[in-house]
Amino acid sequence: MQTDWGFPDFDDHEGVHLFTDPESGLRAVIAVHSTHLGPAAGGVRFWHYADPRAAITDALRLSRGMSYKNAMANLPMGGGKGVVLAAKQGDVISTAQLEAFGRAVESMAGRYITAEDVGMSEERMKVIATQTRHVSGLPVGEGAAGGDPGPFTAHGIYLGVKAAAKRALGADSMQGVRVAVQGVGSVGGSLARKLAKDGAVLTIADVDGARAQKLADEIGAKTADPAEILTLECDIVSPNALGAILDARTIDQLQCKAVAGGANNQLAMRADGARLFDRGILYAPDYVINAGGIINVGLEYLGQGDRAEVEARIDRIPARLIEVWDESDSTGDPHAEVADRIAQRLIGRS
């Protein structure tokens, strides 16, 4: 019998670890979902949460997603996630907090491998690496696997968006395909540039309005209010900001043929995958389409291959999406449920 410990997103996680360091002010969560395929790999994010329970919930959801992501990417790694709590919005993580988090990772003796996520950077990962060797996403030489995962994540999403356009629209190119991009940070911005180069018709939105406008001027895109980007009439909605943005209300407002983007945990609830499916909207499961970054830093940590191998594996992301869509067509089950089922088989939880 499964116990949720008061957290509905607890999914038989192998461990949920809470860390504090009074001297630096560190408060952190490391959640290990599964080590069935190997050490639990997943980035660490620095974020402000309304309360500590929200941070734990985020770590639970993200670590489960990493188990599925690594399995679907055929990496010999399990799923974990680190969350460092910011005291208030706008805070910048300190060197002392980074070092304290590194010591927390080291205390887990290799069961959790950390890497860059929201609020982190290569430079900050280098500080963490002074305290533990169980870290990836560090600067590397030319042609080697590793380094900033952002460009690799963006490239995998780009390939997935093109696959979604082919599947949902029958489009052989992105020329004239209308894409609404939510979030144009390092990943979403890179994606938008790639799509613009292919001739896609883009509307972009970001909570940083100046950033969105600057990119729009650069690539010839339109901008929209972040509160309205999901409601625009378009061909593909591409969420590339934070998660839980697809719920009963927003799904009802979608005017698109497909959802394909890199944000983690896009579905607010598991039932939302069925809601998308019932509306006839093709869904590219986030942990499949956004696996490029973990492929890059995972192979770096494992020492398995170079950048060419990373790119070859990222090129297989569309094939995995097609596998999900084909099984959905044959079973009549929602795309999200099919992806979960495949991933659960791979981690021994079918």
Side-chain angles (χ1 to χ4, degrees), residues 15-269:
V16 183
H17 307 263
L18 310 181
F19 297 92
T20 58
D21 181 68
E23 187 172 341
S24 68
L26 176 82
R27 293 188 302 158
V29 184
I30 295 177
V32 174
H33 179 256
S34 170
T35 57
H36 179 79
L37 295 176
V44 55
R45 62 176 46 184
F46 180 67
W47 195 253
H48 173 67
Y49 295 89
D51 61 74
R53 288 183 63 87
I56 295 171
T57 294
D58 205 22
L60 291 171
R61 287 171 60 89
L62 290 166
S63 60
R64 179 181 60 213
M66 290 307 305
S67 281
Y68 292 0
K69 182 184 301 189
N70 292 334
M72 295 290 265
N74 290 321
L75 289 172
M77 307 183 93
K81 202 74 177 185
V83 170
V84 177
L85 286 71
K88 61 182 184 300
Q89 288 184 348
D91 272 2
V92 176
I93 192 167
S94 70
T95 296
Q97 288 173 325
L98 291 166
E99 291 172 341
F101 183 75
R103 292 191 293 272
V105 172
E106 182 65 18
S107 74
M108 298 188 65
R111 290 188 68 241
Y112 167 64
I113 313 302
T114 196
E116 181 184 337
D117 198 357
V118 176
M120 292 294 184
S121 65
E122 279 191 19
E123 290 303 310
R124 289 170 181 168
M125 300 318 295
K126 286 166 66 176
V127 176
I128 292 173
T130 65
Q131 307 297 315
T132 180
R133 63 185 179 85
H134 304 299
V135 56
S136 195
L138 300 172
V140 294
E142 185 175 353
D148 180 6
F152 299 92
T153 303
H155 186 62
I157 297 164
Y158 164 70
L159 296 178
V161 169
K162 292 204 298 180
K166 176 68 173 176
R167 187 79 173 206
L169 309 170
D172 291 320
S173 79
M174 294 304 296
Q175 183 71 40
V177 176
R178 300 168 300 165
V179 185
V181 181
Q182 180 193 50
V184 290
S186 62
V187 171
S190 178
L191 170 67
R193 290 184 180 93
K194 288 174 179 286
L195 293 173
K197 189 175 293 186
D198 283 355
V201 179
L202 299 178
T203 304
I204 64 176
D206 196 278
V207 292
D208 185 337
R211 176 166 64 186
Q213 189 60 58
K214 181 179 179 181
L215 179 62
D217 292 342
E218 174 193 334
I219 64 176
K222 294 180 180 179
T223 61
D225 188 299
E228 298 175 355
I229 189 71
L230 297 181
T231 69
L232 299 181
E233 185 177 348
C234 61
D235 297 311
I236 298 173
V237 164
S238 185
N240 295 282
L242 294 178
I245 47 86
L246 295 173
D247 56 25
R249 179 184 64 83
T250 57
I251 290 170
D252 186 58
Q253 295 175 334
L254 290 173
Q255 300 187 76
C256 62
K257 298 290 182 61
V259 173
N264 287 311
N265 296 325
Q266 294 168 25
L267 303 177
M269 300 174 59

